[in-house]
Amino acid sequence: AAAEKGGFSSFMDKEIHDQPHAVGDTLLGRTDADGRLVLDDLRIDEAVLRTVDKIIVVACGTAAYSGHVAKYAIEHWCRIPVEVELAHEFRYRDPIVDEKTLVVAVTQSGETMDTLMAVRHAREQGAKVISIVNTHGSTIPRESDAVLYTHAGPEIAVASTKAFLSQITAAYLLGLYLAQLRGNKFPDEIREILDDLREMPRKIQTVIERGEYVSAVARSMKDATSVLFLGRHVGFPVALEGALKLKELAYIHAEGFAAGELKHGPIALIDEGQPVFVVVPSPRGRDSLHSKVVSNIQEIRARGARTLVIAEDGDDAVLPYADEIFWIPQSPTLMSPLLAVVPLQIFAMALATAKGLDVDQPRNLAKSVTVE
Ligand code: G6P
């Protein structure tokens, strides 16, 4: 087993280090000689994809958070409404699904029973289903109309890492493909976004190389009993995923919030010494989200929070309010989740390790849940 871990202390550690490849390999071979996207495994009539008027992503756990991230990108690029639904909630609420609905099932294993049942329900209602799957030969792609494989390689650790990054990547490819097909974007625009995506493996590698500082901070916090995570826009699902990793691995209370929601309730939780991660949007992004999140950091720090800030290289605005800063390379806003989640994965792994826990096999959890 030690050999399979390739010299890493755990499968999770190895899989975190695999992430640049997981993203790079998921991008490989998706364009033709003219640079146009071609998704080979996508055997749904183009005419049908042109008439889609709604997308519903169904998934569980980490895969569902990748769907949350993808929603921001697909709506922005394609102007199609995207809902993200936990697969086990989907069919029980009598969802509005018809021939013009595209259901996207996201799953690492391809075997999650909740997700499979959602796929079956969607197809019974006449929807087309595309699954985004990592495991070849699994059940969900067989029961879907089309499949887009992530090329993350086998993921052994129960807590998902590289599958998450590759799911975001594949969902982005699907979004760009739809934008190309439906004429929402000029070929040049799509090429530029693909170029941005192709820059990401190198940047992810940079974040991993900065991991030792994250680990040291995590070790110093091994007695923490509660950690909060804040994010906004695509940083919101990143916060949710960071909290999930910490619950799964370190067995401590962790919760993610949309930063804008802070004032509507969660700020009451803040008192002296409460650790709070804040995922800060790029200062170069639009909509003044950056300054709003910086104000949030200021507000919680004034109430005693210990602020653990994830910010872009060069973002000096966070310096006065951050107790710890985990820098990530600059990237376009929609690409930033591929970077911002990495310190949160490393943090959860290092804190759990410092507590003497098995990060590959957390208690009570299974890698793939094949019961409803
Ligand atoms: C289990 C795992 C999670 C995973 C979820 C969905 O609960 O412990 O890590 O995110 O299933 O799995 P899937 O294989 O469908 O992505």
Side-chain angles (χ1 to χ4, degrees):
E4 290 168 12
K5 291 179 198 162
F8 291 98
S9 58
S10 61
F11 282 109
M12 184 179 181
D13 194 16
K14 174 180 180 292
E15 288 160 10
I16 286 174
H17 284 79
D18 281 347
Q19 292 185 117
H21 281 290
V23 170
D25 290 352
T26 298
L27 290 169
L28 271 185
R30 308 287 195 185
T31 46
D32 65 16
D34 302 325
R36 282 178 63 82
L37 266 173
V38 279
L39 300 182
D40 285 336
D41 314 308
L42 224 55
R43 295 168 306 269
I44 296 180
D45 205 319
E46 293 195 350
V48 172
L49 291 176
R50 279 197 196 92
T51 59
V52 162
D53 65 3
K54 175 166 73 174
I55 295 174
I56 306 179
V57 179
V58 293
C60 302
T62 292
Y65 295 142
S66 79
H68 275 278
V69 172
K71 170 185 165 84
Y72 290 86
I74 297 174
E75 288 191 340
H76 180 65
W77 292 332
C78 307
R79 311 311 298 160
I80 306 172
V82 180
E83 291 173 33
V84 185
E85 178 102 43
L86 293 168
H88 36 89
E89 284 296 312
F90 175 69
R91 73 194 170 109
Y92 296 101
R93 68 170 171 104
D94 192 14
I96 302 167
V97 177
D98 61 25
E99 292 74 16
K100 289 185 172 172
T101 310
L102 177 64
V103 167
V104 179
V106 186
T107 168
Q108 189 287 128
S109 63
E111 299 294 351
T112 301
M113 184 59 75
D114 287 324
T115 308
L116 176 60
M117 296 313 274
V119 166
R120 287 185 183 160
H121 181 78
R123 293 188 75 200
E124 279 162 18
Q125 312 298 307
K128 289 281 184 257
V129 176
I130 297 179
S131 52
I132 293 178
V133 184
N134 195 45
T135 309
H136 283 255
S138 56
T139 308
I140 289 172
R142 270 205 308 276
E143 295 211 16
S144 305
D145 295 289
V147 55
L148 185 52
Y149 282 107
T150 50
H151 297 152
E155 193 180 62
I156 310 294
V158 168
S160 185
T161 53
K162 62 178 180 174
F164 178 67
L165 270 67
S166 67
Q167 285 158 353
I168 294 171
T169 306
Y172 279 18
L173 287 173
L174 177 61
L176 290 172
Y177 180 78
L178 292 173
Q180 172 181 281
L181 192 73
R182 297 158 64 101
N184 299 89
K185 290 238 164 272
F186 294 112
D188 279 357
E189 294 175 299
I190 291 174
R191 254 195 298 274
E192 256 176 54
I193 299 168
L194 283 172
D195 286 344
D196 290 337
L197 269 172
R198 291 190 187 104
E199 293 277 305
M200 297 312 290
R202 188 176 53 79
K203 295 180 183 182
I204 295 164
Q205 182 61 35
T206 300
V207 182
I208 293 168
E209 283 163 10
R210 296 173 183 178
E212 186 38 45
Y213 171 57
V214 183
S215 300
V217 172
R219 286 193 291 271
S220 77
M221 290 173 64
K222 76 175 181 19
D223 298 322
T225 53
S226 160
V227 180
L228 305 180
F229 295 76
L230 295 177
R232 191 156 183 158
H233 192 263
V234 285
F236 171 36
V238 169
L240 296 175
E241 171 63 5
L244 179 61
K245 288 290 87 101
L246 201 56
K247 287 178 230 187
E248 288 178 309
L249 296 166
Y251 316 153
I252 61 181
H253 173 249
E255 212 170 328
F257 299 105
E261 192 66 5
L262 196 62
K263 57 186 175 300
H264 301 294
I267 198 163
L269 290 168
I270 308 294
D271 66 358
E272 204 52 43
Q274 170 67 54
V276 186
F277 271 93
V278 185
V279 181
V280 181
S282 167
R284 297 164 301 109
R286 283 166 294 166
D287 308 328
S288 69
L289 283 185
H290 172 263
S291 59
K292 288 183 175 145
V293 175
V294 173
S295 301
N296 290 145
I297 308 175
Q298 217 174 330
E299 285 155 16
I300 57 173
R301 196 143 182 271
R303 289 162 176 79
R306 175 157 188 237
T307 57
L308 305 145
V309 172
I310 297 175
E312 255 193 8
D313 287 341
D315 183 3
D316 292 343
V318 302
L319 288 172
Y321 316 112
D323 291 302
E324 306 290 347
I325 307 182
F326 309 113
W327 298 108
I328 58 174
Q330 297 184 352
S331 68
T333 296
L334 289 171
M335 306 298 157
S336 63
L338 297 171
L339 304 177
V341 75
V342 177
L344 301 180
Q345 298 167 337
I346 295 172
F347 179 83
M349 177 174 68
L351 198 149
T353 305
K355 287 178 80 168
L357 302 173
D358 179 347
V359 296
D360 287 339
Q361 293 285 344
R363 68 182 181 201
N364 307 341
L365 298 175
K367 181 65 183 159
S368 125
V369 182
T370 52
V371 292
E372 263 196 282

